[in-house]
Amino acid sequence: MSRTTPPRPLDAEALFPEPAAYRGTTTRLHPRPGRPDVADSSVGGPLLWPADEPWPVRTDPHSHTRGLRPADVHRQRQILASAWLREPDPHL
């Protein structure tokens, strides 16, 4: 069975011609379940790593303080939004 992508419902390049200069050729993958063996690549199969070569590891220290969880960002936005809605205290 041949698997192809259906035609687009609209011509995006006609609607947005500016990015057309940056157009490139791409390959769209359609992965399917299978049973790869040891001779298959790691794309769709197990990662083959040389037995006599150690796994790469990061040994330099790195900060755990960078970045926020999405839940923390949402909560921070809720707090700020409610703060902006409050009336200022005239006595301050």
Side-chain angles (χ1 to χ4, degrees):
M1 170 195 265
S2 175
R3 298 180 191 264
T4 59
T5 303
R8 300 286 178 246
L10 53 92
D11 184 4
E13 195 169 299
L15 293 172
F16 306 101
E18 295 83 8
Y22 303 102
R23 180 179 355 113
T25 301
T26 61
T27 301
R28 183 171 172 194
L29 301 176
H30 293 274
R32 302 286 179 262
R35 297 194 178 276
D37 62 16
V38 296
D40 293 324
S41 73
S42 62
V43 177
L47 178 63
L48 303 177
W49 195 266
D52 59 342
E53 188 174 321
W55 281 97
V57 294
R58 182 176 180 169
T59 57
D60 60 314
H62 58 281
S63 171
H64 292 281
T65 60
R66 291 177 40 196
L68 296 171
R69 297 180 308 160
D72 295 335
V73 173
H74 293 302
R75 182 67 182 141
Q76 183 180 21
R77 289 177 182 168
Q78 289 172 345
I79 292 169
L80 287 173
S82 64
W84 282 108
L85 291 174
R86 289 191 305 227
E87 290 294 323
D89 188 347
H91 302 290
L92 291 179

